[in-house]
Amino acid sequence: MLWLNGSTADLRRGWSRRDCLRAGLMGALGGLATPAASGAATDQDRPAGFGQADACIFIYLFGGPSHIDIWDMKPDAPEGIRGEFKPVATNVPGVQITEHLPRLARHADKYAVLRSLTHGDNSHGSAGHIMMTGHRPRLPGEIPPSIDDFPHFGSVLGRVGSGRQSPLPYVSLPQVLETSTNVVPGQNGGFLGRAVDPFRLARPDDGRLLFDVPLVRLPDGVDERRLHERAALLGQLEAYCRTADSSDCRDRSAIFDRAMRFLAAPATAGAFQLDREPAALRERYGMNVFGQSLLLARRLVEAGVRTIMVGWPDRTEPEAFINNGKLDGKPVALWDTHGTNVGNTPNFPVLREQALPVLDRASSALLEDLSDRGLLRRTLIVWTGEFGRSPRVNSMAGRDHYGNVFSAMLAGGGIRGGQVYGSSDRIGAWPQDNPVLPGDFSATLYHALGLKADTMLADRLGRPLRLCEGQPLRTLF
């Protein structure tokens, strides 16, 4: 919850117009907060691939997708490890992925697979923070978010990145990621403040699969003249807030400014109108929440948004998510395939019949669509979860949390497609070659987006913190 003038705004539902205006009336109309640092390289200091991407679509497969059944198959491993699926050849000689991603297999020349990610954390919460920020949180386990968390990639780019000047630098959809106990940390602005939290979209609840977007039009009785009069009044009230030198005041001021600029940017607001897309293209992505989320992500890239995080829906959705399992009264994440007595999510049927076909259809459509529009070269796409699944199939026909080694995919933004980086051992239990630590992973993403690993950020107490604890994987570019 975020306190606004004595009442609360539930960030899990997204910002309403009233929340934004109420926040703004306590702040100031002005520019976004001053960048904490500048990490952009000069033309003389621009290595291969640096800054080639000016947008990022960060696809987060919440729950922990099974690396050994998807990207890093072990057909020669013992029966209790290799699982039920078979590998299939891709359009890149020597590269194989699961048979249940046939469309993506035809596009392997566009993406790189990382098979040696490792952090050793098996908790959804703290592992989520690691993979969405590149840093370990203050405590391990299923911990709630904190204002001292390291900021999400999108929040960092919204503060210190250069280039795009969208009123919505970081958009997150289709819902806040939650475990059965807490909101997953690492999704927000953390110590950079609430001004760089994402603009959140609520998942669509009708058969048209159209997102409900706040702030797309002024409320009844408020025209542009009245809106500007209110902004002028706010500017006068802001003098009192400035004397307090309050970070909360600055954040509210920036939030209000962002809302005002969004209202004045019809092109950005129009990007959310998926019904403007041809029906055939919507079908190509898949008429389900995940598919339409990726289509919306493409539209937001075209509208100038810098970072779009797309999470995996965690409830029953038309044609795609027939996941009726419950854990402590809440739907379980579809990729969290422990087995038959934990949320009714056995690994192989869920992947084969629900998760992989939807992922395959939507992801391949996104690659094709961006490529056809000439946008793939400057748009970095990331597919990752918080960890992988255990090599050994458990007694419940599932696989358990596993952070010792797992896989991810990268495409666009200067990444050379058709390659595999790193490897795991013969049963997919540990990295064998070129282990990729979270700091290396984050440094690679920032490298593509034009920020150097040694960029320094200041936390809430003014202490300098290095943007990345590793180095970019330069062979990927």
Side-chain angles (χ1 to χ4, degrees), residues 67-138:
H67 61 291
I68 200 170
D69 296 309
I70 304 174
W71 295 290
D72 189 15
M73 307 192 72
K74 305 294 181 182
D76 298 325
E79 181 178 354
I81 290 172
R82 66 174 180 263
E84 299 178 9
F85 300 162
K86 293 179 173 57
V88 66
T90 68
N91 67 344
V92 176
V95 177
Q96 295 181 324
I97 58 175
T98 182
E99 60 185 320
H100 298 296
L101 294 177
R103 291 180 172 89
L104 279 174
R106 295 194 290 270
H107 290 287
D109 58 323
K110 296 182 177 69
Y111 56 78
V113 178
L114 280 60
R115 288 180 175 167
S116 55
L117 279 157
T118 180
H119 55 55
D121 192 320
N122 292 338
S123 296
H124 292 296
S126 49
H129 183 283
I130 290 170
M131 294 308 296
M132 288 187 282
T133 70
H135 292 259
R136 294 186 182 275
R138 64 200 184 284

Side-chain angles (χ1 to χ4, degrees), residues 114-169:
L114 280 60
R115 288 180 175 167
S116 55
L117 279 157
T118 180
H119 55 55
D121 192 320
N122 292 338
S123 296
H124 292 296
S126 49
H129 183 283
I130 290 170
M131 294 308 296
M132 288 187 282
T133 70
H135 292 259
R136 294 186 182 275
R138 64 200 184 284
L139 294 170
E142 304 304 342
I143 54 174
S146 162
I147 58 174
D148 292 315
D149 288 339
F150 208 90
H152 186 279
F153 298 114
S155 295
V156 171
L157 291 166
R159 174 64 62 87
V160 305
S162 60
R164 296 185 166 211
Q165 299 297 320
S166 169
L168 303 178

